[in-house]
């Protein structure tokens, strides 16, 4: 089954404790991206990657890191999480930019930073 | 700076009637527009898209209309079914993809 897999689905952590949210896709998509969803703000892009070893900042990159060492994986790293990073996170992938046939999204990771 | 706006946080319609979800945008460089549907505890799923060179695209019960002069698009669902109850996100793409805040649609039996 074609899918984007994120782990974990739920995570509660403390301020300052480094964490990684994994994302993997099995569709051989070049493009991958991370979004956060907050009430009233919709989905905002954190980072994206056009292909292996190519990453770039989205609208809200502060406090996040990513890497793209393999085509299928695109982990999101929070080096020192803070409470304002409490949010619902989605990983997405697509062929090209997904402008016509859209993105395939993962099921989401709900992160709480206390 | 929200370039894509969905001004109605929620919409409730009766089963069998038409649902109309609206979206406005500000950036005239957007050339593709998309709608996604999201159920609770799931990621958004792509529903339908339209290129800026068209004013209408239809897929079964779902039709998207684009009014470029008004920078407005809408999604029509006819007839609405209870299984259509979800949050609908409008998105617009130029070099990247921007999303609206979403509209929660409730279809009552």
């Amino acid at each position: 089954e074609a899918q984007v897999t994120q782990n974990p689905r739920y995570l509660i952590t403390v301020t300052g404790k480094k964490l990684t949210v994994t994302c993997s896709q099995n569709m051989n998509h070049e493009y991958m991206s991370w979004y956060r969803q907050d009430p009233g703000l919709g989905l905002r892009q954190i980072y994206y990657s056009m292909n292996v070893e190519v990453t770039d900042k989205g609208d809200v990159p502060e406090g996040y890191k990513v890497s793209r060492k393999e085509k299928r994986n695109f982990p999101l790293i929070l080096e020192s999480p803070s409470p304002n990073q409490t949010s619902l996170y989605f990983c997405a992938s697509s062929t090209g930019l997904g402008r016509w046939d859209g993105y395939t999204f993962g099921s989401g990771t709900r992160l709480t930073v206390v | 700076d929200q370039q894509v706006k969905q001004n109605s946080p929620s919409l409730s319609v009766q089963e069998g009637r038409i649902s109309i979800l609206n979206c406005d945008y500000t950036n005239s460089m957007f050339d593709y527009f998309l709608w996604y549907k999201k159920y609770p505890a799931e990621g958004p799923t792509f529903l339908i898209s339209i290129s800026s060179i068209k004013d209408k695209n239809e897929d079964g019960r779902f039709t998207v209309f684009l009014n470029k002069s008004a920078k407005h698009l809408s999604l029509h669902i006819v007839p609405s079914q209870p299984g259509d109850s979800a949050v609908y996100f409008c998105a617009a793409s130029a070099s990247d993809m921007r999303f609206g805040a979403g509209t929660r649609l409730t279809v009552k039996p």
Side-chain angles (χ1 to χ4, degrees), chain A residues 34-36 44-47 57-61 64 76 89:
Chain A
W34 276 102
Y35 284 85
R36 59 178 288 173
R44 293 181 295 166
Q45 191 177 53
I46 303 170
Y47 268 94
K57 296 177 180 178
D59 292 327
V60 288
Y64 304 95
L76 179 69
Y89 291 87

Side-chain angles (χ1 to χ4, degrees), chain A residues 24-41:
Chain A
S24 180
Q25 51 95 2
N26 62 0
M27 297 163 281
N28 202 37
H29 284 166
E30 295 86 10
Y31 184 87
M32 297 186 75
S33 181
W34 276 102
Y35 284 85
R36 59 178 288 173
Q37 182 189 355
D38 300 291
L41 297 176

Side-chain angles (χ1 to χ4, degrees), chain A residues 87-105:
Chain A
S87 187
L88 179 58
Y89 291 87
F90 291 102
C91 180
S93 73
S94 67
T95 301
L97 292 176
R99 286 145 61 76
W100 179 246
D101 54 1
Y103 294 162
T104 302
F105 281 90

Side-chain angles (χ1 to χ4, degrees), chain B residues 23-34:
Chain B
C23 179
D24 297 298
Y25 63 95
T26 57
N27 187 346
S28 57
M29 297 301 291
F30 290 139
D31 57 357
Y32 281 89
F33 303 89
L34 305 90

Side-chain angles (χ1 to χ4, degrees), chain B residues 7-29:
Chain B
N7 292 319
S8 298
S10 63
L11 174 67
S12 181
V13 299
Q14 208 66 35
E15 181 179 7
R17 306 293 290 268
I18 184 171
S19 295
I20 300 176
L21 296 100
N22 294 303
C23 179
D24 297 298
Y25 63 95
T26 57
N27 187 346
S28 57
M29 297 301 291

Side-chain angles (χ1 to χ4, degrees), chain A residues 3 6 10 19 40 43 51 54 62-63 67 69 71 75-76 79-80 84 86 88 106 110 112:
Chain A
Q3 60 185 357
Q6 291 178 232
Y10 301 92
L19 67 92
L43 293 157
N51 214 325
V54 180
E62 294 78 20
S67 69
K69 296 177 181 173
K71 198 171 189 179
L76 179 69
E79 294 270 3
S80 182
N84 65 11
T86 292
L88 179 58
R110 185 167 292 281
T112 302

